[in-house]
Amino acid sequence: MPKRTDIESILVIGSGPIIIGQAAEFDYAGTQACLALKEEGYKVILINSNPATIMTDTEIADAVYIEPITLDFVSRIIRKERPDAILPTLGGQTGLNMAMQLAEAGVLEECGVKVLGTELSAIEQAEDRDMFRTLMNDLGEPVPESDIVHSLEEAVAFTEKTGFPVIVRPAYTLGGTGGGICENMDDLNEIVSSGLKNSPVHQCLLEKSIAGFKEIEFEVMRDANDNAIVICHMENVDPVGIHTGDSIVVAPCQTLSDREIQLLRNTSLKLIRSLGIEGGCNVQLALDPQSFQYYVIEVNPRVSRSSALASKATGFPIAKLAAKIAAGYTLDEIMNPVTGKTYACFEPAIDYIVTKIPRWPFDKFESANRLLGTQMKATGEVMAIGRTFEESILKAVRSLESSVYHLEHPRGAHLDMEEIEQEIRKATDERLFFVGEALRRGVAIETIHEWSQIDLFFLHKFRKIINLERQLLDHPFDAEKGRKAKESGFSDIVLARLWNVTEQEVYEWRTSSGIIPVYKKVDTCAGEFESDTPYFYGTYEQENESEKSGRKSILVLGSGPIRIGQGVEFDYATVHSVWAIQEAGYEAIIINNNPETVSTDFSISDKLYFEPLTVEDVMHIVDLEKPEGVIVQFGGQTAINLASGLEERGVKILGTSLESLDRAENRDKFEQALSEMNIPQPKGKTAFSVEEAVKIADHIGYPVLVRPSYVLGGRAMEIVYEQKELLHYMENAVKVNPEHPVLVDRYLVGKEIEVDAISDGENVLIPGIMEHIERAGVHSGDSIAVYPPRNITREMKDKIIDYTVRLAKGLEIVGLLNIQYVISQNELYVIEVNPRSSRTVPFLSKITGIPMANVATKLILGDTLQNMGYDTGLAPEQEGVFVKVPVFSFAKLRRVDISLGPEMKSTGEVMGKDRTLEKALYKGLIAAGMEIRDYGKVLITVADKDKEEALALAKRFSGIGYGVMATSGTADFLKNHGIKVEVVGKIGSDGPTLIDVIRQGKAQLILNTLTKGKQPQRDGFKIRRESVENGIPCLTSLDTAEAILGVLESMVFSADAMPKEA
Amino acid sequence: MKRQLVLEDGTIFVGEAFGSEKETIGEIVFHTGSSGYQEVISDPTNYGQIIAFTFPQIGNYGINRDDFESIQPSIKGVVVKEAADFPSNWRSSMSLPDYLKQKDIPGVCGIDTRKLTRLIRSKGTMKAAICGMGENVDILVSRLQAVEFPTDQVKRVSATKPYPSPGRGKSVVVVDFGVKHGILRELTKRGCDITVVPYHTKADDILALQPDGIVLSNGPGNPEDVREALDMIQAVQRAVPLFAIGLGHQLFALANGCKTVKMSMGHRGSSYPVKDLETGKVLFTSQNHSYEVAEGSIDAKILSITCRALNDRSIEGLEHRDYPSFSVQFEPESSPGSEDAKFLFDRFLQVMNEENTSKGMVDQHA
Ligand SMILES: Nc1ncnc2c1ncn2[C@@H]1O[C@H](COP(=O)(O)OP(=O)(O)O)[C@@H](O)[C@H]1O
Ligand SMILES: Nc1ncnc2c1ncn2[C@@H]1O[C@H](COP(=O)(O)OP(=O)(O)O)[C@@H](O)[C@H]1O
Ligand SMILES: [Mg+2]
Ligand SMILES: [Mg+2]
């Protein structure tokens, strides 16, 4: 069928902010789709609240709306733009649910908007657990014994029938939010109630547990002519019971015979056909390891995380083709974009093994519950390709950047057998590494299988790795064994450790004995047809397929897996850098290992190497490609951290030199530099012992901000207000010693300012200055940023500009830099300078129209700002107000303290823009998923030091008719100042406590600044978690509260009675 | 132990031995399925071939009792990147290397099979040998270039005497050019009362069995080498419905005046897209052939083309204009690979039914 001509404009709904379960994969899908539709000449209208995405670039869609994805705002845009059609299946669960709401609200009908691709009825049938179950029964496809429940009573009744364990799966949620496995009544109580809360339709599926079955995924596509194909099948190393998003996944299936594959293939195709899906779809199945018995777990009637993985694993661009199908084409009309010679209506054949490992945020959240289950907890993932499973999994392991390079665990050696057994039985994110330890101690794979249910095939492969490790120990520099090790994916770091020599020595020995990798093409057809896709992976084989082109090339390092502190914004910068390099006439080569991203779409760069981001792996590519140099400043900390290792091996780092990078990052050198430029910095010193820390603190005065010097980022950073706290921190949070000193800084109470700038060494362009709503002390990534700044004087602004320019020049920055300042008692201090792209680069680029990553790249390649028409100083400020609001995934992370502090906790962000701050904030907060009620009750429980401030807020709350509730202490204080307060009991007190208030949803907003304590037993912690579990906004910074109050005040009319006449 | 794979063009690959350690010579071809090696290895169509698997890890789920396509595998060798020494699957009864040892079939692993595949893609299928490191390669290469492969492969894999596979449904005679168990399985599944007869059985002897239909099976080698079957086909297609598969399809074409040619590397994989020219739909088919019916050699008055490969447009299916006979180049029985085309066996049964009724016979089996 030819393309549809009855439509001209198409609305695409994005997936909003990055949250656990919905990461960069939808930027990849959305971008591909938009470009594919534009290619067909349609007018593409895009809505997405996430500014850090490529898809929200004005080049990607014809009309881009960075607005909240809510019924309200989307309807408004539809009424304004009057699109002929809507494409709902590319924006993840968010886009899907939005489309459903639009349909139910009758907006689509009202505006005559056709739904492209899969029909909404089909989507509903797949998403609604009940309708889906019915369909399965009609089709005679097996599903585990299950029942739909709408209440706890029904749930109990079900378990009386089936017994435990049962699993709870809420309808219309993503990443299994609120679901879980129940072993007993207590679990049932907790999980079912949270499940019902999380399901927008208050519906859960209760199901007999089939944990332990093989979990298999099929990625399938279908067109309107009923052609249906399987793109890829994947096998979870972690059996059913652990969410696919949290499982190690291998493509293609490894342990299934052809009959089993065909059985599940037939089922998958039957499902996509009977659902009438037009586009891509993901089918999850469970297969009994001991028979042909299988069950259908679920169908996702849209592109998904798995389809992004399948696209990168096979080279087959699913989202792009889904868009073409939506536009009316059939698969047999479209060319396979990879070969260009064959048709898209085919099933990729692959001649390598792909492994995906999730990336979890537990390094940031020590207190979090690491147990993996049916609810996803990972923020991102890495993928690796190899010619054997061993090679691909070990490449994936070192891609994680969790400072593990092998199947081993830092604590492994210290644990006894029982502990290791426990670790393996309870399946945390670290299980893989403990399995390695167990094998190292000679535990039989059958035993480990019994503990973990992991298939013997994989366990045997792990055992091979450990055995080889032993042989290597006894045969240092043995060419044959060394080669075997490399073929099995061992990194030089590991070989160096086994042979106790330096990594450098191993590298030199290896290259001189000709043990170097070759690069093979990902071509969708296992070499059967020619293809000229520039998509490669490295492996230790004979034939190299990656030929160096004649052109001058530049190598760009990507940013690896999405994690807290390093999100999609760095992929945004990487991609823009690639484009700029091409504009400048060079060949752009990229290395990255994140399958979710736009940067790993082979059509973006001239050459894509899907490889781990370690010095070793990068060097191999450098040796082959001999690029002019390497650009590290767009790939976040990942790329920056490789700079020194690369330069040591003679690689040219382009842009800001290694020396300058070091001067910005090394604390002492940085201090030095600042004092030379006489730019003030918070007083601080390095303590090598507890006593010293105490002395320093006394000297510079409390409150102080303490952090270990040896971890980057805000990790383990704390503000302490008195000696007692300091000692507690020194005892518990860090182990201070001469190797691992602790930094003690004066904590400056004041306004935090963030600036991004671009420098060519001569001139320094400052696209914008951002002012934070929350005072310094809340990580810049977690605070609401406002552009343009509103509460700083002209003089202060000039000072900021002056400092920024001098810092850029003084640190000899070429390219981007990001600075955080604090204004305290009218003095400006520098908190830190990041000599690289930052979280706010896409935000500012989009506001100011200055393509920052592009400009920076051009400068790095030798161009000048003036030449590009920019002057030194602050770019003219834009009309309107723009806010960046952080988004958190706390609902998915049990036991994590949500209180804001110097450690970053947010997973994503949204942008709100409008004419006034209040309106912009309103949009931002709504887009971030907060419900803003213009009446209701606020529950206030604050620390003594905050009571004065809280009082002012309480006044204003009651001023707009909000009821005020508080616990006794706070209540008395407020009462004494003439505020009407409803007292609620503290936790444990008899009568209704605040926990009941929260559970029964009697409060719409909670203000809590009790303790910064990390120990769950603290009351404050309970309160905060309780509000998360119950989906009630809980503010831990009075500044955020005040901002929201401002919004509320602007929404409602004041409710003050007339003053009494005297 | 190290072994070498030597190709007719002089290319040498060095790898490790597995399976039998004897020297072997055959025609080297590659198969792109990531599963189904047991079926491929035991498929009589592959007689005399050394099979290279493009998927790097072969043998993961072992060898089981159920998935053979013939009792005695007739391939000459197996080439892989890695042969699984530790299979894992509930049906697995032995490892691939053990099986090949038992059947005295040599294998070589540790090969850059992608390099090999790309070589075959550019030069076409070649003669090759798997041998020890001692062999003098130059001599071996000239031997390879000189060697003539037998032209009687069908004779070697076909049944020597007729045998029944009783059922209560349609009576079907399967002419065995190297029949895969999959074909018999599909017919049996549909209740057919099967008689398998040797490839050289005469038309009269076949018709004497009063079949409701005849299946011309798959088989190895060049259809031109099985000319003795053509008279039979011409005779039987007049009398009863005929369903021809693989080599059978090529012979059906020859019998009706077409020519066949050797393809440069053939089609071997689990999932080849084939377009049904009538419905415009694409089905995914399991394929395994080196020869094809020559484009333009078809007399449109006799045969019509029913389907074509989506990519190289090669002829995948034919239908007789006057007789209820049809044929496909691919393997509708799958095993291994896509099962999209199994419905063709139902169609065959349907054709047989229609024939009986149109012939006014009462269908005693329906
Ligand atoms: N009946 C079951 N027994 C045990 N585990 C299950 C069962 N059903 C699903 N799971 C596990 O829960 C995970 C999430 O379930 P799924 O329905 O896919 O939710 P989501 O929509 O979040 O992907 C699955 O990946 C699987 O591992
Ligand atoms: N001396 C200080 N006074 C007040 N707040 C500070 C100080 N140092 C750091 N912070 C707060 O801690 C946050 C994180 O500190 P920063 O040095 O930027 O670490 P990161 O490398 O994680 O960005 C900052 O955004 C700021 O809010
Ligand atoms: Mg799922
Ligand atoms: Mg910072």
Side-chain angles (χ1 to χ4, degrees), chain B residues 171-233:
Chain B
S171 161
V172 174
V173 167
V174 174
V175 184
D176 179 6
F177 299 102
V179 68
K180 280 174 70 184
H181 290 176
I183 293 178
L184 302 178
R185 194 184 303 124
E186 291 307 313
L187 291 169
T188 306
K189 228 192 254 159
R190 291 163 177 78
C192 296
D193 180 28
I194 306 167
T195 312
V196 179
V197 303
Y199 72 104
H200 50 60
T201 312
K202 298 269 167 293
D204 305 351
D205 302 331
I206 293 174
L207 295 174
L209 296 165
Q210 301 177 15
D212 299 307
I214 295 171
V215 169
L216 305 180
S217 86
N218 63 293
N222 182 349
E224 289 290 347
D225 298 336
V226 202
R227 291 211 142 271
E228 58 260 63
L230 301 185
D231 296 347
M232 175 273 289
I233 296 171

Side-chain angles (χ1 to χ4, degrees), chain A residues 169 175-176 207-210 215 240-244 284 298 374:
Chain A
R169 290 156 70 199
E207 210 166 67
K208 184 116 203 59
S209 171
I210 46 169
E215 185 154 15
V240 174
I242 296 180
H243 196 281
T244 48
Q284 281 165 252
E298 74 157 354
T374 64

Side-chain angles (χ1 to χ4, degrees), chain A residues 514-526:
Chain A
I515 306 176
I516 53 168
V518 297
Y519 294 89
K520 298 214 176 271
K521 236 179 226 164
V522 172
D523 63 4
T524 71
C525 60

Side-chain angles (χ1 to χ4, degrees), chain A residues 332 347 455 461 528 545, chain B residues 82 88 114 271-272 275:
Chain A
D332 53 329
E347 301 193 326
D455 192 284
K461 288 286 197 179
E528 183 176 2
E545 295 172 42
Chain B
E82 180 184 282
S88 170
R114 183 168 168 90
S271 192
Y272 278 83
K275 190 159 197 162

